[in-house]
Amino acid sequence: MAEIQGKEKEQYVHHVFETIAERYDLMNTLLSFGVHKYWRNVTMKKMGVKEGDTALDVACGTGDWTIALAKKTKNPEGIYGLDFSRQMLKVAGRKLNREGLGKVNLVYGSALELPFQENRFDYATIGFALRNVPDIGRALQEMLRVVKPGGKIVSLELSKPVWPLFRMVYFFYFNHILPFLGKIFTNRYEQYKWLPQSLASFPNHRELEEIFYQAGCEKVETYLLTGGIAAIHIGTKKSV
């Protein structure tokens, strides 16, 4: 598949997630061997989330990070999950209800036009979704706009391994094995073929750090996970 950009990319990604929503969590666990949960726990520790904090989870998908934020802050009313896939939001809603977190706010909307006023949240997060947005810089600017001065925007995303041999093995798995696992477990091949394609054109961790600065962050912290398979980027908004 040729690389797609802009509105075409947004429409294609929307179709992908609408069709895999019900099996998304199963595939995440299978494809990452469950390590994505560890990555999220590490990210939460790096963020320093406190009880009573507020947060917006952008492109929240099926709500795993939204749930983690609500539990950590003990402030479900102050936690929002936003996604442009209604099917993913339906799955997230069911999970929140099972966890007794029905007061968490789920919002249908775009990462490029967040429907919130400026300086509202302590944190804005985006997990495993930044590579799917049509305009990374604009998404980060929107996240920065809605956090308070001194607040943080946080990305947990797949990245490119830094060890050459490991990188070669990783990309072989991602490009050749992952799509077939998607077909076996979800009967979706093209949708899971999209995932390695989306990573191929995504900035590496250093390039993404620079994009955070270009978006207006005062300070950016970058952490590599599992040899660079994933990366955490935490940008701080300038204080008044």
Side-chain angles (χ1 to χ4, degrees), residues 13-21 24 85 87-88 132 195:
V13 172
H14 179 266
H15 170 72
V16 167
F17 287 102
E18 285 283 276
T19 56
I20 66 174
Y24 180 80
S85 167
Q87 294 302 316
M88 297 290 267
N132 293 322
L195 296 181

Side-chain angles (χ1 to χ4, degrees), residues 63-101:
D64 282 349
W65 204 348
T66 315
I67 290 169
L69 288 163
K71 288 182 175 180
K72 184 67 176 179
T73 62
K74 299 181 180 179
N75 180 29
E77 297 94 338
I79 305 300
Y80 286 72
L82 175 141
D83 204 279
F84 76 157
S85 167
R86 295 190 188 278
Q87 294 302 316
M88 297 290 267
L89 288 173
K90 286 180 182 179
V91 176
R94 293 200 300 265
K95 290 165 67 174
L96 284 163
N97 287 331
R98 286 199 300 268
E99 295 284 345
L101 296 170

Side-chain angles (χ1 to χ4, degrees), residues 138-159:
R138 181 175 170 185
L140 294 178
Q141 289 172 348
E142 275 291 278
M143 292 169 67
L144 201 63
R145 178 182 66 80
V146 301
V147 297
K148 303 172 183 176
K152 297 179 179 180
I153 64 172
V154 185
S155 167
L156 170 60
E157 184 56 271
L158 294 177
S159 192

Side-chain angles (χ1 to χ4, degrees), residues 14-51:
H14 179 266
H15 170 72
V16 167
F17 287 102
E18 285 283 276
T19 56
I20 66 174
E22 294 295 335
R23 292 294 186 98
Y24 180 80
D25 289 338
L26 170 63
M27 288 303 297
N28 259 9
T29 299
L30 287 173
L31 298 176
S32 72
F33 304 101
V35 75
H36 67 288
K37 298 176 183 177
Y38 164 74
W39 292 338
R40 187 171 59 250
N41 290 338
V42 172
T43 306
M44 291 284 285
K45 290 179 181 178
K46 297 291 186 183
M47 291 167 62
V49 179
K50 304 183 299 297
E51 187 172 331

